[in-house]
């Protein structure tokens, strides 16, 4: 009998997925479950903040401290956009370490730039594929191990270049973008 | 028969069908059902919005964005292409262009629905044998 827990670490990999489209929520939920992730799918940024206990209105005791390993949010949502949600999360001392990935059906360079500059870990062009999810999960899980390894080798290689996001089929590499060289777009 | 079903599936659903397995044999049907409801509502909204005078292009674009999004998620490439065209007309505030293109969107959408219905009818016939043969 298989367990839900990932084999590479003891805890469940929990993803908070945010998307106003019912169809997309269903698909992303399935993608994540197939990839052995625990999923909480919500329809809005404000709902997502509630789940995290960040909304400031409700007593966060109502929701159990939600341990979230990754947040995947749609960009275009009514009310609070994915970008605004990203800013709120990165602006919170408690949650800013959680990697946030933006999903969008539109491949707009300025939008991608803006999100990455605000701290998004990746920008996925919809429809999101199974390979995207698997890569993200491995990256996030691997990242935690990489950090431990880096700390222990800190003395040896101070300026070790760290390329966190492996070359992949993400929209970034498919665009052939080199983040450092691109001029900042306001 | 199974080969035919597999071909239908591939041409229609692209990646969606890889998300279905024995533990979740109705996933595609569930998603498509959601899509039907969602898209029918949006088509209605767009029709109504196009009848208004003056046309609210912001609202129109928002509806179309949603419609295009979910169509794309289920792999409806042709519908998606027409939607993109529609949004171009929206962007420049061309009401006539929008109306004309929307007729094309609806045509592709109707074709899609027919294909989907045919697929599901077929899948139900093939059903249990297909499941047993498919491994995931």
């Amino acid at each position: 009998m298989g367990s839900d827990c990932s084999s590479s670490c003891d805890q469940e990999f929990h993803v908070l997925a945010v998307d106003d489209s019912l169809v997309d929520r269903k698909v992303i939920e399935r993608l994540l479950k197939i990839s052995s992730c625990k999923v909480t799918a919500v329809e809005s940024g404000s709902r997502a903040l509630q789940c995290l206990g960040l909304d400031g209105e409700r007593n966060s005791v109502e929701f159990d401290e939600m341990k979230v390993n990754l947040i995947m949010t749609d960009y275009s949502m009514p009310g609070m956009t994915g970008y605004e949600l990203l800013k709120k999360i990165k602006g919170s001392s408690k949650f800013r370490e959680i990697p946030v990935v933006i999903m969008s059906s539109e491949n707009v360079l300025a939008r991608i730039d803006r999100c990455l500059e605000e701290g998004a870990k990746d920008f996925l062009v919809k429809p999101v594929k199974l390979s995207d999810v698997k890569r993200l999960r491995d990256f996030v899980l691997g990242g935690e191990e990489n950090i431990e390894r880096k700390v222990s080798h800190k003395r040896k290689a101070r300026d070790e270049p760290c390329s966190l996001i492996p070359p992949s089929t993400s929209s970034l590499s498919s665009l052939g973008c080199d983040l450092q060289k691109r001029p900042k777009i306001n | 028969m199974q080969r035919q079903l597999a071909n239908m599936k591939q041409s229609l659903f692209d990646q969606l069908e890889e998300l279905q397995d024995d533990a979740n044999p109705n996933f595609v049907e569930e998603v498509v059902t959601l899509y039907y409801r969602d898209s029918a509502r949006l088509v209605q909204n767009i029709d109504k919005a196009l009848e208004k005078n003056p046309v609210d292009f912001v609202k129109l674009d928002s509806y179309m964005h949603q419609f295009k999004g979910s169509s794309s998620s289920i792999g409806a490439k042709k519908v998606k292409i027409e939607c993109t065209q529609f949004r171009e007309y929206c962007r420049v505030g061309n009401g006539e262009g929008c109306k004309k293109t929307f007729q094309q969107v609806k045509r592709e959408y109707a074709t899609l629905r027919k294909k989907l219905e045919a697929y599901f009818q077929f899948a139900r016939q093939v059903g249990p044998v297909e499941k047993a043969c498919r491994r995931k």
Side-chain angles (χ1 to χ4, degrees):
Chain A
M1 192 172 78
S3 108
D4 268 325
C5 293
S6 80
S7 51
S8 54
C9 67
D10 287 321
Q11 57 216 7
E12 269 184 320
F13 190 77
H14 185 197
V15 181
L16 177 61
V18 191
D19 200 320
D20 62 312
S21 159
L22 191 51
V23 170
D24 287 355
R25 268 204 310 282
K26 187 149 179 90
V27 172
I28 196 81
E29 199 171 32
R30 185 83 189 110
L31 283 171
L32 289 167
K33 284 188 177 158
I34 289 181
S35 313
S36 312
C37 301
K38 179 179 163 192
V39 191
T40 300
V42 298
E43 75 273 15
S44 69
S46 45
R47 192 85 180 90
L49 292 177
Q50 272 176 13
C51 286
L52 293 169
L54 256 183
D55 63 335
E57 283 168 13
R58 238 189 260 197
N59 194 337
S60 58
V61 167
E62 270 194 53
F63 294 91
D64 286 334
E65 277 267 304
M66 232 199 214
K67 163 89 175 121
V68 168
N69 301 98
L70 171 68
I71 296 172
M72 295 181 73
T73 175
D74 187 26
Y75 183 91
S76 312
M77 297 188 289
M80 190 188 302
T81 66
Y83 176 67
E84 286 158 359
L85 175 63
L86 168 68
K87 281 207 288 195
K88 291 227 154 81
I89 292 166
K90 292 304 164 188
S92 144
S93 51
K94 194 172 178 194
F95 296 106
R96 72 159 64 105
E97 291 310 311
I98 304 179
V100 180
V101 169
I102 310 283
M103 306 179 282
S104 174
S105 52
E106 288 161 325
N107 205 350
V108 178
L109 209 56
R111 181 182 289 186
I112 298 173
D113 256 345
R114 206 187 308 142
C115 290
L116 294 174
E117 278 168 28
E118 202 58 45
K121 271 288 179 289
D122 203 351
F123 188 102
L124 300 174
V125 178
K126 284 179 169 181
V128 176
K129 300 187 274 290
L130 200 56
S131 52
D132 289 323
V133 173
K134 291 194 161 148
R135 180 178 55 79
L136 270 179
R137 182 177 175 276
D138 290 345
F139 157 60
V140 173
L141 287 175
E144 287 164 3
E145 289 168 13
N146 279 338
I147 288 168
E148 285 169 11
R149 232 180 283 135
K150 268 208 297 228
V151 165
S152 68
H153 292 177
K154 213 173 175 179
R155 236 179 286 154
K156 250 207 288 188
R158 211 153 65 99
D159 298 301
E160 188 179 75
C162 70
S163 123
L164 289 178
I165 302 180
S168 62
T169 53
S170 82
S171 67
L172 293 179
S173 39
S174 67
L175 286 175
C177 290
D178 182 337
L179 284 175
Q180 280 105 23
K181 293 200 188 119
R182 233 154 0 115
K184 302 266 180 207
I185 301 168
N186 269 338
Chain B
M1 239 182 146
Q2 281 152 40
R3 171 92 38 95
Q4 207 178 334
L5 184 66
N7 286 339
M8 277 174 100
K9 232 199 267 186
Q10 200 162 50
S11 74
L12 277 176
F13 300 122
D14 213 8
Q15 295 156 93
L16 212 58
E17 62 95 10
E18 76 177 350
L19 302 183
Q20 183 158 293
D21 58 21
D22 294 330
N24 298 268
N26 299 315
F27 176 71
V28 174
E29 191 160 354
E30 285 166 14
V31 176
V32 170
T33 305
L34 284 178
Y35 172 73
Y36 271 173
R37 274 207 298 246
D38 213 29
S39 55
R41 174 184 58 90
L42 288 164
V43 166
Q44 226 178 23
N45 288 343
I46 294 171
D47 264 329
K48 282 204 199 119
L50 280 171
E51 282 165 24
K52 289 215 167 93
N53 201 355
V55 173
D56 182 345
F57 287 105
V58 172
K59 210 177 221 183
L60 208 50
D61 189 59
S62 163
Y63 288 142
M64 187 45 89
H65 172 81
Q66 292 175 55
F67 181 69
K68 182 184 166 199
S70 43
S71 300
S72 162
S73 294
I74 67 150
K77 295 187 179 111
K78 289 191 181 148
V79 171
K80 184 182 175 181
I81 289 170
E82 297 300 338
C83 290
T84 305
Q85 183 63 59
F86 182 95
R87 293 188 79 199
E88 282 311 306
Y89 283 120
C90 255
R91 232 161 276 205
V92 298
N94 183 341
E96 281 312 306
C98 284
K99 285 177 185 157
K100 260 192 221 136
T101 314
F102 195 52
Q103 296 312 310
Q104 278 157 246
V105 170
K106 283 200 276 192
R107 260 198 296 269
E108 287 300 340
Y109 176 61
T111 306
L112 174 71
R113 283 186 75 126
K114 279 206 202 96
K115 280 193 195 160
L116 290 174
E117 272 149 33
Y119 166 77
F120 283 121
Q121 259 183 5
F122 199 62
R124 262 171 231 136
Q125 285 172 38
V126 177
V129 182
E130 162 70 10
K131 272 185 224 162
C133 287
R134 199 169 12 113
R135 40 125 231 123
K136 190 81 187 194

